[in-house]
Amino acid sequence: MDGISWKGASRLTFHLLCWCALHVIFPTMLSVFGRHVTFQDCHTFLNLLSVQHQLHYGPSYDHSCVHACMWYFPPNWHLVPHFYANIPAGHTIFEDLEEDGPSQKGRITAMTVAEGLDRKKIELLLKAKYPKLETHTYQDVVHATPKLDDPNSGDIFFFDYGTVVFWGISAADEQAVVHSIVNPCKQEPLDLHEIEIDEFTFYYSSIEPPHIQNDLITINKSFAADHQVKLAISHALAQSTLLGCYEERLQDIVEVTKDLPEALAEHGRVNISRKEVARLIGQVFLQRSAVNLLGVVLDVPEFFWSAPDGLQVLYKRVREYLELDTRVDVLNTRYGVLQEMLEMVRDHQNNQHMSRLEWIVIWLIAIAVVIGCLQVAGLIGYIRPGHL
């Protein structure tokens, strides 16, 4: 046969191989190996065929037949990452390309409003005022949602340490929940300027793994109805918001004390009482203890002790994005510098007080010496009683 006939025969053979691969080989592999066959395997198969054709027919071989085989594939197959090609049992191979499902974007609001929340009171108020809400209780958190199997219904997480995280809840509904549920359950409410509020956006994707970037949290739509995925992320968000409260409180102390070193350097004294210095030292110690000793910010929540390992990995990734460990280190460094400065001011004031006492003693001794001299002069007759 001539060259044209050989080329036509090779193209026909190649198309038959592609058809067999897509309609016979890969369906058979899917049925045998289940979820371990990936979209990348198909591209690898095509690349191998292309290389074999080039080796057999030379570099000048027309590869249009190789590119033509892509007709057998969906147009955006190449956009599906290898990670999400694991197909669960009972699902189709093209399921990740479907657009139907939960709404694509929503808002997340995390707010710290008090030192703590009364868990029992929250559960009672939820049942009384929102009887249609379904609730779950975990260590340190109460979860509420209108419907657990509906990813569009929204989720609310009430943390025992005074933080609330809303997922997919409108601003008006958030305020309603805060006024009707959160405010009555506050323990040691924070001042208005101390309340910390962080806002994020979440997005349901059909092809991306859960991650966070530029304050946009991406969740695969297959996990849209799994509130534990949102809980794992919410733990990190709640800890970050609580840490923001400690950062704001420290900044308040810094604003009060920022002029003390300069005044001490220029004038040798500070216009602050010893009682005020002692009070500031106590505040720094209490805040530092809350961050490092109570463990709310530093420790991994007990929820992850029994949760799947994947949730803990997700939690740690969000912590890394929010730089919680770095922020705690910076906070401790600032606590240390502030405490050293306040102790220096206290030592200076103590030295001033001791110096003042020394001068009082000196003047008392001087007065006693003068009185003694006058008495001796009166006894020896240098000073008569009438002349005094």
Side-chain angles (χ1 to χ4, degrees):
M1 298 177 66
D2 55 13
I4 297 177
S5 299
W6 274 110
K7 182 180 292 187
S10 65
R11 287 184 179 180
L12 178 60
T13 304
F14 187 79
H15 280 277
L16 288 175
L17 285 174
C18 291
W19 188 91
C20 291
L22 291 177
H23 294 274
V24 179
I25 299 175
F26 279 102
T28 303
M29 293 175 67
L30 283 173
S31 63
V32 174
F33 298 105
R35 48 194 289 167
H36 297 290
V37 178
T38 66
F39 299 130
Q40 190 67 30
D41 297 330
C42 300
H43 287 282
T44 302
F45 173 74
L46 292 177
N47 291 334
L48 289 175
L49 289 178
S50 177
V51 171
Q52 290 176 355
H53 273 70
Q54 187 173 6
L55 291 176
H56 185 73
Y57 295 103
S60 60
Y61 179 75
D62 184 6
H63 293 279
S64 60
C65 61
V66 178
H67 298 292
C69 73
M70 293 305 295
W71 180 85
Y72 294 103
F73 293 87
N76 56 350
W77 197 336
H78 64 285
L79 298 177
V80 182
H82 179 79
F83 178 80
Y84 274 94
N86 292 331
I87 312 297
H91 294 249
T92 64
I93 194 170
F94 299 107
E95 184 173 3
D96 281 344
L97 302 179
E98 296 175 359
E99 296 297 333
D100 297 334
S103 59
Q104 295 299 308
K105 284 190 176 183
R107 63 197 303 269
I108 304 173
T109 304
M111 59 178 67
T112 299
V113 296
E115 297 291 343
L117 295 175
D118 189 335
R119 170 193 287 260
K120 294 183 178 179
K121 196 171 183 180
I122 286 177
E123 295 177 356
L124 292 176
L125 287 177
L126 286 174
K127 292 179 181 179
K129 297 187 176 183
Y130 300 96
K132 294 184 179 180
L133 289 181
E134 300 184 26
T135 60
H136 271 83
T137 58
Y138 299 92
Q139 184 73 23
D140 298 332
V141 61
V142 175
H143 167 248
T145 182
K147 195 174 182 182
L148 288 176
D149 58 354
D150 183 3
N152 292 321
S153 62
D155 298 88
I156 309 174
F157 299 94
F158 303 90
F159 291 86
D160 291 351
Y161 45 83
T163 302
V164 185
V165 180
F166 299 92
W167 286 73
I169 306 295
S170 65
D173 290 340
E174 287 178 5
Q175 293 300 318
V177 172
V178 168
H179 289 299
S180 60
I181 303 296
V182 178
N183 287 342
C185 301
K186 290 181 180 178
Q187 296 175 336
E188 301 181 31
L190 301 180
D191 294 335
L192 186 60
H193 73 280
E194 291 182 331
I195 295 177
E196 187 75 13
I197 300 177
D198 294 330
E199 294 184 352
F200 301 85
T201 303
F202 70 91
Y203 169 71
Y204 291 122
S205 172
S206 59
I207 60 175
E208 297 184 58
H211 67 277
I212 179 171
Q213 184 177 8
N214 298 326
D215 290 347
L216 175 64
I217 299 174
T218 301
I219 302 176
N220 188 266
K221 72 176 184 179
S222 60
F223 303 118
D226 187 355
H227 69 276
Q228 290 192 347
V229 173
K230 297 177 182 178
L231 176 58
I233 299 174
S234 297
H235 269 294
L237 299 181
Q239 289 176 330
S240 176
T241 306
L242 179 61
L243 185 59
C245 287
Y246 292 124
E247 292 171 339
E248 187 65 28
R249 290 175 179 176
L250 179 61
Q251 186 62 34
D252 293 341
I253 299 178
V254 170
E255 291 294 326
V256 173
T257 61
K258 64 180 181 180
D259 297 328
L260 295 183
E262 184 177 353
L264 192 61
E266 291 184 0
H267 309 291
R269 63 180 183 275
V270 292
N271 296 323
I272 186 172
S273 65
R274 297 173 62 196
K275 182 178 180 180
E276 183 67 16
V277 171
R279 188 181 67 83
L280 291 173
I281 292 175
Q283 288 182 359
V284 172
F285 179 78
L286 287 176
Q287 293 184 29
R288 194 171 189 175
S289 300
V291 173
N292 294 279
L293 299 181
L294 299 183
V296 174
V297 176
L298 296 178
D299 293 347
V300 176
E302 293 185 13
F303 163 75
F304 296 103
W305 294 1
S306 57
D309 293 339
L311 294 181
Q312 186 169 352
V313 171
L314 178 60
Y315 161 76
K316 290 182 177 179
R317 287 181 179 176
V318 179
R319 276 185 64 100
E320 291 175 0
Y321 171 81
L322 298 172
E323 299 180 338
L324 290 188
D325 295 334
T326 302
R327 289 165 60 190
V328 169
D329 292 338
V330 172
L331 200 61
N332 281 325
T333 301
R334 298 183 69 185
Y335 279 137
V337 173
L338 190 58
Q339 189 168 1
E340 289 179 2
M341 184 190 68
L342 291 174
E343 289 178 351
M344 179 188 67
V345 172
R346 184 181 61 179
D347 292 341
H348 174 73
Q349 290 180 331
N350 290 337
N351 292 335
Q352 281 188 325
H353 181 66
M354 293 299 297
S355 178
R356 191 179 300 112
L357 291 178
E358 290 175 357
W359 278 106
I360 291 174
V361 172
I362 291 173
W363 281 108
L364 289 176
I365 293 174
I367 294 172
V369 170
V370 171
I371 294 175
C373 291
L374 292 175
Q375 290 177 346
V376 171
L379 290 175
I380 63 177
Y382 283 104
I383 299 177
R384 294 181 181 180
H387 293 140
L388 294 175

